[in-house]
RNA sequence: GGGCGUUUAGCUCAGCGGUAGAGCGCUUCCCUUACAAGGAAGAGGUCGGAGGUUCGAAUCCUCCAGCGCCCACCA
């Protein structure tokens, strides 16, 4: 008996999503345990920053991961998706400082302890919000394992790594030129600096020679730093200056005597070929200074104002000082030639956009070169594979010329550097636990005030979250993780460093695959940003259209490695697809007569064989796409299968069978149920909520989330059925088109005969009822087409429509003319190909054969169409 | 200054060596008992340009152009 399914006509995600997610969590489907017979599959979530809430980029990243993990879970893997969040040092601190500023406070007024309390407070709120948002998206992460980069375990891993690297000589403290942000008041690593083109001026300045014999001209874009010059350099092979090397120049405005020296680092082609050397304010000058033992004079304060060392210019910021020094040089008569406008790249802080100041400073560094070698080798050997492969090039390029990594930051929010300084003897102690006193002199110790670069802890994420440095069962089972899913924008920041650290400390790569995705953009390819006003908020989309609709939209656009354009109307389109799935399911469930969806009927008609074969193809293609991280392709394949094949054709055909109420009805129902069941499984990773809602109603099972992934579908492949059904489709479409062309009412039941060669005739005779119903016919039977409007469907198949009064001869002629033109073009193309010299000899036989068949079809069709035209034209007055 | 990506239907994108595809938009018809968030039938591309390889190129190679991105201590 038919079970009455009372489903609303319109799918309502709100009524489904929260309920389903709660149930998944309650039943613990997302928990993964190490050991056992299930093979491991693991993904460690790139931790969102606790600066605020989730944006569309996070949604994309997490949807991709969720799709991958859900499929593996269904395939029987012990599938672990380990979630967490990142403390995001500078960024989070900046957010909280901004909040303080609104209260008229600074972090210094609050003090370190109170300030950190506030940041922790902020973190709790942001983290809760982020987790909530991830859940709304349907993320099937194992929340029992949720981690935070500053939690106890991760912090322990950070300390351990720091201490070990220090002991191995791979971490050191030293005075170097670093990138300094005068606004954030901290050092930055090289990759935290963004280069932007800036309009500057190239100024030529004359430095008088000390012996009064003339002058040497230098070119610079930063005249203000001349206050800190301690030398002048030229290229050793530059003949213009050969006589000056070894002499001395006098620094204008300051009066300091500067040695003129030769150094390979100077480019004789640039400017005048002579440069001022400012070791404290320029990285190249620093190196030249080192090589020649020049003193270093620092003329800036941390916020980039001229310090006391800058004499008359003290107190000015760098830009004021630039103008002032320029004027002073001008007044002193030191300028030569013209001041040239000059476009050049200047470093900016990637967090706040302030121009970075190269600054002499004592910081902690990681010597990355030895670590990098192993990482490059691992990728080269394929132990880590990038998808798409070309992104490995970005990795290699960056790893090549790596300089040491500055890891200390002059902020408070982060992992405090585990180094202590003796106030008595100056000893530096690096230790896992705070030492009671100086091991050398027993003096009092003071801990380093600085914290570590956020990316330092991020680099350890794949193993710190699994319990390292303990040898935990999680680490043994789930490491290396299976795949890292992330955007191409952090390959250098993060991916490469994880590989280095994983190899060094765990002895194996952190992940076998890196699935790279692009950045989410708006519909015209523009970056989403608040100032553009083109931001689409994921939560808003979820509320308006449902999580599945958003997920499907993102997946469908996410071609591997390419940017992902997004527009609200596309989410709407996906919502429509969800509604389609819902209503198809509603139909299937309403018509069910107690059958199970577990298997297809043993006895199958043409349509059954066709849809099962199409299912098998869709399954295979989706699988292949999923395996190569091409979610866009998987989504497209499944969308097409479900909508254009299952709904548009099979469902309509099944109605015909069900109307008969005999054995055909039962096998149609069984097929509908089975294919729906399989399709829902294939779709579940992409659209988990609706798939689960329907699947549980369909099967009575607990959840599709842990149901088995479809396998063995290839047994249903049936090329003969596909070909025969195509004949049916073409026939139906030809009649519908005829009806449309002649404006025949949809309600008019036509009488159609067909004449076909044997194979097609058999197929159509069997499918007569199907065709009648789909094309709205009163009768569809084999027989003569004489005296009827003749439709050419394909070679050897012609239909005759009884037209009675309503055939418009003029229109029919026009229709046939179009057909004639198309066939002519086709015949021409194919004949041209066959006539190409060498084609017959060199093309593969099956291609030649196919081409000949096409020509035969086209010619036959053309002959027939022309004949019909002649007949009709005879009818015209 | 290097490098990468991209250029295919009005829009956003697939296809990457053998008959040009999808979604959205557009046109016409239809509220047919799963769905009007729908159904049916259509219109619409010399696949950025120029060479080359090949029997055959949107697809491979070279060059050029436009757009976008990444890297870079020529001050």
């Amino acid at each position: 008996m038919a079970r009455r399914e009372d489903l609303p006509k319109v799918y309502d995600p709100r009524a489904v999503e929260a309920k389903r997610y709660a149930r998944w969590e309650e039943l613990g489907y997302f928990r993964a345990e190490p050991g056992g017979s299930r093979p491991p599959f693991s993904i460690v979530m790139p931790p969102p920053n606790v600066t605020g809430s989730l944006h569309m980029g996070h949604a994309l990243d997490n949807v991709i991961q969720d799709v991958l993990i859900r499929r593996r879970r269904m395939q029987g893997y012990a599938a672990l998706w380990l979630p967490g969040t990142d403390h995001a040092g500078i960024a989070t601190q900046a957010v909280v400082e901004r909040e303080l500023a609104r209260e008229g406070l600074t972090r210094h007024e609050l003090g370190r302890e109170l300030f950190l309390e506030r940041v922790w407070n902020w973190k709790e709120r942001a983290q809760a919000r982020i987790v909530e948002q991830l859940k709304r998206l349907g993320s099937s992460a194992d929340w029992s394992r949720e981690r935070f980069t500053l939690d106890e375990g991760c912090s322990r891993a950070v300390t351990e790594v720091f201490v070990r690297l220090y002991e191995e000589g791979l971490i050191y403290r030293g005075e170097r030129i670093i990138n300094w942000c005068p606004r954030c008041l901290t050092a930055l690593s090289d990759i935290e600096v963004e280069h932007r083109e800036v309009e500057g001026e190239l100024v030529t300045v004359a430095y008088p020679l000390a012996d009064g014999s003339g002058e040497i001209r230098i070119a610079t874009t930063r005249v203000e730093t001349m206050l800190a010059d301690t030398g002048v350099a030229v290229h050793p092979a530059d003949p213009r200056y050969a006589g000056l090397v070894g002499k001395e120049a006098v620094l204008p405005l300051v009066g300091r005597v500067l040695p003129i020296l030769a150094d390979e680092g100077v480019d004789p082609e640039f400017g005048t070929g002579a440069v001022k050397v400012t070791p404290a304010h320029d990285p190249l000058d620093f190196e030249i200074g080192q090589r020649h033992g020049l003193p270093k004079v620092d003329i800036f304060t941390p916020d980039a104002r001229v310090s006391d060392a800058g004499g008359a210019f003290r107190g000015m910021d760098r830009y004021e000082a630039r103008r002032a020094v320029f004027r002073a040089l001008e007044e002193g008569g030191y300028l030569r030639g013209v001041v040239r406008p000059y476009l050049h790249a200047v470093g900016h802080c990637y967090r706040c956009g302030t121009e970075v100041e190269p600054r002499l400073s004592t910081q902690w560094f990681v010597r990355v070169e030895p670590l990098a070698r192993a990482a490059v080798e691992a990728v080269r050997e394929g132990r880590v594979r990038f998808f798409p492969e070309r992104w490995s090039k970005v990795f290699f390029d960056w790893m090549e010329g790596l300089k040491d990594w500055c890891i200390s930051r002059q902020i408070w929010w982060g992992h405090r550097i585990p180094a202590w300084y003796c106030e008595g003897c100056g000893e530096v102690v690096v230790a896992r636990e705070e030492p009671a006193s100086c091991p050398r002199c027993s003096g009092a110790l003071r801990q380093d005030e600085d914290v570590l670069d956020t990316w330092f802890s991020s680099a350890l994420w794949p193993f710190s979250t699994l319990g390292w440095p303990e040898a935990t069962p999680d680490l043994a089972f789930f490491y290396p993780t299976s795949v890292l899913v992330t955007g191409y924008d952090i390959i250098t920041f993060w991916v490469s460093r994880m590989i280095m650290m994983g190899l060094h400390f765990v002895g194996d790569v952190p992940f076998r695959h890196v699935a790279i995705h692009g950045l989410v953009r708006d519909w015209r390819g523009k970056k989403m940003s608040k100032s553009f006003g083109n931001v689409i908020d994921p939560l808003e989309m979820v509320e308006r259209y449902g999580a599945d609709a958003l997920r499907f939209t993102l997946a469908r656009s996410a071609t591997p490695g390419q940017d992902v354009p997004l527009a609200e109307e596309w989410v709407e389109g996906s919502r429509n697809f969800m509604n389609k799935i819902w209503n198809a399911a509603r139909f299937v469930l309403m018509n069910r007569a107690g059958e199970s969806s577990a298997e297809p009927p043993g006895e199958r008609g043409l349509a059954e064989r066709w849809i099962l074969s199409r299912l098998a193809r869709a399954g295979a293609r989706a699988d292949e796409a999923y395996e190569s991280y091409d979610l866009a392709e998987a989504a497209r394949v499944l969308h097409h299968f479900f909508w254009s094949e299952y709904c548009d054709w099979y469902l309509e055909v099944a109605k015909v069978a069900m109307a008969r109420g005999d054995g055909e009805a039962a096998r149609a129902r069984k097929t509908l149920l089975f294919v729906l069941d399989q399709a829902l499984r294939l779709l579940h990773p992409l659209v988990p909520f609706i798939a689960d809602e329907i699947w549980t109603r369909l099967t009575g099972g607990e959840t599709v989330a842990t149901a088995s992934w479809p396998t063995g579908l290839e047994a249903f492949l049936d090329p003969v059925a596909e070909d025969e059904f195509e004949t049916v489709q073409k026939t139906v479409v030809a009649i519908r088109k005829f009806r449309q062309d002649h404006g025949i009412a949809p309600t008019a039941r036509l009488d159609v005969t067909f004449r076909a060669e044997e194979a097609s005739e058999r197929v159509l005779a069997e499918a007569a009822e199907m065709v009648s119903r789909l094309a709205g016919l009163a009768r569809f039977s084999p027989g003569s087409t004489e005296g009827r409007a003749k439709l050419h469907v394909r070679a050897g198949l012609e239909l005759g429509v009884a037209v009675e009064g309503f055939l418009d001869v003029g229109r029919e002629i026009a229709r046939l003319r179009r057909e004639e033109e198309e066939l002519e073009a086709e015949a021409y193309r194919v004949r041209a190909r066959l006539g190409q010299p060498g084609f017959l000899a060199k093309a593969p036989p099956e291609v030649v054969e196919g081409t000949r068949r096409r020509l035969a079809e086209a010619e036959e069709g053309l002959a027939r169409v022309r004949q019909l035209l002649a007949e009709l034209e005879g009818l015209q007055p």
Side-chain angles (χ1 to χ4, degrees), chain A residues 770-841:
Chain A
M770 215 190 288
V771 173
S772 291
R773 173 76 180 259
L774 294 180
L777 308 183
R779 205 168 80 94
F780 184 64
S781 54
S784 164
T785 58
E786 283 316 304
R788 295 161 170 257
K790 299 180 190 76
L791 307 184
H792 176 78
V793 178
R794 53 153 62 166
L797 173 55
E798 183 170 279
L799 308 178
V801 185
V803 288
E804 294 162 32
F806 45 58
L807 180 68
D808 179 328
V809 175
R811 274 190 180 184
E812 185 62 2
I813 287 174
R815 189 182 72 77
L816 286 168
R817 282 261 160 74
R818 282 200 300 275
E819 223 169 287
E820 184 190 16
E821 262 176 55
E822 278 165 29
L823 287 167
E824 262 171 1
E826 165 77 355
Y828 178 83
R829 269 197 309 270
V830 179
R831 210 176 287 121
R833 168 173 297 180
L834 280 167
Q836 226 131 27
F839 177 74
L840 296 179

Side-chain angles (χ1 to χ4, degrees), chain A residues 650-667:
Chain A
Y650 187 69
L651 221 97
E652 295 304 320
V653 167
K655 286 177 186 172
V656 182
M658 290 192 301
R660 293 168 63 124
D662 54 13
E664 272 184 47
R667 76 186 188 205

Side-chain angles (χ1 to χ4, degrees), chain A residues 598-828:
Chain A
E599 48 192 35
E603 202 177 313
R604 298 163 201 157
L606 174 59
E608 281 73 40
R609 288 163 58 208
W610 174 77
I611 193 65
L612 288 168
S613 187
R614 298 305 298 169
L615 169 70
R617 280 191 206 283
R621 287 176 59 197
D623 256 329
E624 203 179 314
Y626 278 132
E627 288 292 332
S628 55
Y629 306 107
D630 190 349
L631 271 50
E633 176 67 8
R636 272 191 298 267
V637 165
L638 294 174
H639 178 270
H640 180 261
F641 170 72
F642 197 89
W643 197 316
S644 304
E645 299 187 318
Y646 183 68
C647 291
D648 286 352
W649 286 98
Y650 187 69
L651 221 97
E652 295 304 320
V653 167
K655 286 177 186 172
V656 182
M658 290 192 301
R660 293 168 63 124
D662 54 13
E664 272 184 47
R667 76 186 188 205
R669 285 196 300 269
K670 278 188 196 163
T671 307
L672 282 173
L673 287 161
F674 175 74
V675 176
L676 178 62
D677 184 332
Q678 297 296 308
L680 289 171
R681 291 174 202 242
L682 293 169
L683 281 163
H684 170 257
L686 293 165
V687 291
F689 293 107
I690 191 172
D692 201 43
E693 178 69 20
I694 298 170
W695 192 86
T696 50
R697 287 171 189 265
L698 180 71
T699 62
E702 203 176 56
T703 181
V704 71
T706 54
S708 65
W709 185 252
T711 54
L713 292 178
E714 53 293 344
F716 296 124
L717 282 175
D718 188 341
V720 174
E722 290 190 39
D723 185 61
E724 292 181 355
F725 195 77
E726 199 188 327
T727 299
V728 174
Q729 290 176 305
K730 282 193 165 164
T731 303
V732 170
V733 169
I735 299 169
R736 286 171 176 169
K737 182 162 155 46
F738 179 83
R739 191 191 286 274
Q740 177 88 7
D741 281 347
H742 291 284
I744 299 168
T747 46
R749 301 279 85 119
L750 297 171
D751 180 328
V752 176
T753 53
F754 62 91
R755 252 185 27 194
E757 61 191 15
E758 206 196 316
S760 295
E761 170 150 339
R762 200 200 69 239
V763 169
L764 288 180
E766 276 170 23
E769 191 171 351
M770 215 190 288
V771 173
S772 291
R773 173 76 180 259
L774 294 180
L777 308 183
R779 205 168 80 94
F780 184 64
S781 54
S784 164
T785 58
E786 283 316 304
R788 295 161 170 257
K790 299 180 190 76
L791 307 184
H792 176 78
V793 178
R794 53 153 62 166
L797 173 55
E798 183 170 279
L799 308 178
V801 185
V803 288
E804 294 162 32
F806 45 58
L807 180 68
D808 179 328
V809 175
R811 274 190 180 184
E812 185 62 2
I813 287 174
R815 189 182 72 77
L816 286 168
R817 282 261 160 74
R818 282 200 300 275
E819 223 169 287
E820 184 190 16
E821 262 176 55
E822 278 165 29
L823 287 167
E824 262 171 1
E826 165 77 355
Y828 178 83

Side-chain angles (χ1 to χ4, degrees), chain A residues 146-392:
Chain A
E146 187 189 345
R147 300 300 299 272
F148 177 56
T149 46
L150 270 178
D151 69 22
E152 211 187 313
C154 289
S155 299
R156 195 177 151 208
V158 166
T159 304
E160 185 66 27
V161 164
F162 188 95
V163 172
R164 283 204 211 169
L165 287 176
Y166 181 75
E167 286 167 354
E168 293 168 41
L170 294 175
I171 277 185
Y172 64 93
R173 186 164 180 260
E175 189 179 49
R176 296 290 141 87
I177 289 273
I178 45 87
N179 306 293
W180 179 264
C181 174
R183 204 210 62 88
C184 300
L185 298 176
T186 180
L188 300 169
S189 68
D190 292 342
I191 45 176
E192 288 170 307
V193 174
E194 281 177 3
H195 290 88
R196 291 188 212 151
E197 295 273 286
V198 167
E199 285 277 1
E201 290 175 335
L202 190 63
V203 179
T204 306
V205 186
Y207 288 14
L209 297 176
D211 61 11
S213 64
E215 60 185 36
I216 183 164
R217 294 173 184 183
I218 58 95
T220 181
T221 54
R222 295 203 62 190
V223 286
E224 74 279 15
T225 63
M226 68 162 291
L227 301 173
D229 284 359
T230 55
V232 170
V234 298
H235 190 87
D238 193 332
R240 292 172 293 178
Y241 299 111
L244 292 182
V245 173
K247 290 192 168 185
E248 290 169 329
V250 180
L251 184 60
L253 311 184
V254 177
R256 191 158 44 234
V257 173
L258 311 175
I260 298 173
L261 39 93
D263 192 283
E264 297 275 352
V266 179
D267 177 3
E269 303 292 318
F270 186 87
T272 59
V275 293
K276 59 201 262 314
V277 183
T278 320
H281 297 295
D282 182 277
L284 175 63
D285 292 8
F286 176 81
E287 281 172 31
I288 296 176
Q290 288 289 90
R291 284 196 281 270
H292 300 273
L294 296 181
K296 307 176 199 69
V297 176
D298 183 346
I299 53 140
F300 285 130
T301 59
D303 60 349
R305 289 175 175 278
V306 178
S307 67
D308 292 345
F313 303 94
R314 97 169 58 83
M316 297 179 186
D317 75 27
R318 28 187 186 163
Y319 307 107
E320 285 177 287
R322 187 172 306 167
R323 288 188 295 271
V325 168
F326 181 86
R327 271 196 309 275
L329 288 170
E330 197 171 32
E331 281 160 18
Y334 295 107
L335 297 187
R336 295 291 179 273
V338 289
V339 174
R340 288 218 320 271
Y342 187 67
L343 197 67
H344 64 309
V346 176
H348 293 72
C349 173
Y350 83 136
R351 284 299 175 201
C352 73
T354 304
E355 259 187 44
V356 160
E357 190 58 44
R359 185 168 189 238
L360 191 63
S361 175
T362 300
Q363 304 284 346
W364 289 90
F365 296 88
V366 175
R367 208 186 301 282
V368 284
E369 201 270 335
L371 299 169
R373 244 178 297 149
V376 166
E377 200 180 317
V379 176
R380 197 148 273 147
E381 287 172 356
R383 276 144 58 211
V384 175
R385 285 181 61 198
F386 282 78
F387 292 79
E389 200 278 328
R390 67 184 160 83
W391 286 106
S392 62

